[in-house]
Amino acid sequence: MKQPGGIANKLSELGYRLTPQRIMVLSAIEDSDNHISVEEIYAQIVAKYPQVNISTVYRTLELLKRLGLVTETDLGGGRVRYHSAEKGHHHHLVCQECGAIIDLDESVLSSLKDTLLREYKFIAGLRHLAIFGRCVNCSR
Amino acid sequence: MKQPGGIANKLSELGYRLTPQRIMVLSAIEDSDNHISVEEIYAQIVAKYPQVNISTVYRTLELLKRLGLVTETDLGGGRVRYHSAEKGHHHHLVCQECGAIIDLDESVLSSLKDTLLREYKFIAGLRHLAIFGRCVNCSR
DNA sequence: TTTACTGCAAATCTTTTGCATCAAC
DNA sequence: GTTGATGCAAAAGATTTGCAGTAAA
């Protein structure tokens, strides 16, 4: 139905069927600049194809997560969000005032990672960390 | 019914009623070394007083949260946990292998806080951060 | 005595699951 | 043609809410 993106190719290489539903979920995730929630993915799909069921979205996300093609991040408030694993890891500054999500380079946290390893012998994952606070606009 | 702790005093000073249910929720939170979940609080209470309803626990936690007497932390996996605001802020290293929760001193994160303020003009809350990874025992 | 708080039951909301049908391969 | 994927409906789990009775102040 659409041009399959990078993830779609991998799915198909791994022997999974490339259904229109899966491609739509993939497109929603790949096209999203930021992270996207289940409901947002579903809303996008239903707008075009109302017969698609939300359980399919859940099942597809479950599959993609399991295969490591998509990553799940908990940005607080129980709202889990997804993004393409291809886009690499990064962290987030979440403004509790306006809800803005600012991407944070991985390098900023490398010294923290070192400290934790040195002082706590703890290997920090630090793949998808959300730091809550207040952004420039809201702190005035 | 029991000796009211520090939080109970505040509650009563603020004009809220000190019911046995509220005191039991407070005791559960104050007695807990670590963070405690809704179900754990409820289980503790029901063991003694089976007629207490879980919705009361939710309502009490909602109140305590709103008054800033208790803090809610999301340690991942949708499991929200609570602890007394009086015990001060600290952070957590959560081992994804064995589930161990290691308390992390606030000072470790102060340099990160400075960096975020300097480079991103972002005022980081960093009150209850959970960092996931692997602890000493499990990394071997 | 007053009315905030509670217990109960039902509603909500999110996510999961069983099963018959359907379509990707 | 096979069998994995989907839609549907129902279940499951967590949290919230309306309401009438109860008890803290």
Side-chain angles (χ1 to χ4, degrees):
Chain A
M1 59 166 288
K2 262 191 184 177
Q3 299 285 32
I7 299 182
N9 286 329
K10 282 183 193 158
L11 253 196
S12 133
E13 282 164 20
L14 288 165
Y16 293 95
R17 293 185 183 170
L18 265 191
T19 64
Q21 292 90 335
R22 284 181 174 169
I23 293 171
M24 286 190 283
V25 171
L26 286 172
S27 299
I29 294 173
E30 290 186 322
D31 293 353
S32 162
D33 291 335
N34 248 305
H35 296 57
I36 191 167
S37 68
V38 178
E39 300 97 81
E40 284 164 357
I41 294 170
Y42 181 58
Q44 238 176 78
I45 294 174
V46 159
K48 282 195 161 189
Y49 302 90
Q51 79 281 10
V52 174
N53 196 275
I54 199 169
S55 64
T56 301
V57 177
Y58 277 107
R59 280 190 278 228
T60 302
L61 288 172
E62 172 62 33
L63 173 68
L64 297 173
K65 211 167 48 181
R66 184 156 42 81
L67 297 177
L69 301 175
V70 146
T71 325
E72 193 181 71
T73 315
D74 191 344
L75 292 181
R79 287 158 297 183
V80 187
R81 297 181 153 266
Y82 298 87
H83 89 289
S84 164
E86 288 182 336
K87 290 186 182 172
H89 301 313
H90 55 274
H91 310 285
H92 307 92
L93 301 176
V94 183
C95 180
Q96 291 180 303
E97 195 88 14
C98 68
I101 298 177
I102 303 157
D103 278 11
L104 178 63
D105 199 75
E106 192 151 23
S107 66
V108 181
L109 294 176
S110 58
S111 76
L112 172 63
K113 205 165 174 172
D114 291 346
T115 308
L116 294 179
L117 185 59
R118 196 169 356 96
E119 296 182 15
Y120 292 81
K121 304 252 180 296
F122 186 85
I123 302 171
L126 293 185
R127 288 158 63 98
H128 292 90
L129 193 65
I131 297 174
F132 297 91
R134 200 155 292 191
C135 73
V136 216
N137 299 324
C138 295
S139 60
R140 281 176 299 201
Chain B
M1 55 167 293
K2 260 192 188 179
Q3 301 284 32
I7 299 183
N9 285 330
K10 281 183 193 157
L11 251 197
S12 134
E13 281 165 21
L14 288 165
Y16 293 94
R17 292 185 184 170
L18 266 192
T19 64
Q21 293 88 337
R22 282 179 178 171
I23 292 172
M24 287 190 285
V25 171
L26 286 172
S27 299
I29 294 173
E30 290 186 324
D31 293 352
S32 162
D33 291 334
N34 248 304
H35 296 59
I36 191 168
S37 68
V38 179
E39 298 98 80
E40 283 164 355
I41 294 170
Y42 181 58
Q44 236 174 79
I45 295 174
V46 159
K48 282 195 160 190
Y49 302 90
Q51 79 280 10
V52 174
N53 196 274
I54 198 167
S55 64
T56 301
V57 177
Y58 276 110
R59 280 189 279 228
T60 302
L61 288 171
E62 172 62 33
L63 173 68
L64 297 173
K65 211 167 48 179
R66 183 156 43 79
L67 297 176
L69 301 175
V70 146
T71 325
E72 193 183 71
T73 315
D74 191 345
L75 292 183
R79 286 159 298 181
V80 186
R81 298 181 151 264
Y82 298 88
H83 89 291
S84 163
E86 286 181 338
K87 290 189 183 169
H89 301 312
H90 55 274
H91 310 286
H92 308 91
L93 301 176
V94 183
C95 179
Q96 292 180 303
E97 196 87 12
C98 68
I101 296 178
I102 302 157
D103 279 12
L104 178 64
D105 199 74
E106 191 149 25
S107 65
V108 180
L109 294 176
S110 58
S111 75
L112 171 64
K113 206 166 174 169
D114 292 346
T115 308
L116 294 179
L117 185 60
R118 197 169 356 97
E119 295 182 15
Y120 291 83
K121 304 250 179 298
F122 186 86
I123 302 172
L126 292 186
R127 289 159 61 99
H128 292 87
L129 193 64
I131 297 174
F132 297 90
R134 200 156 292 192
C135 74
V136 216
N137 298 326
C138 297
S139 59
R140 283 176 297 201

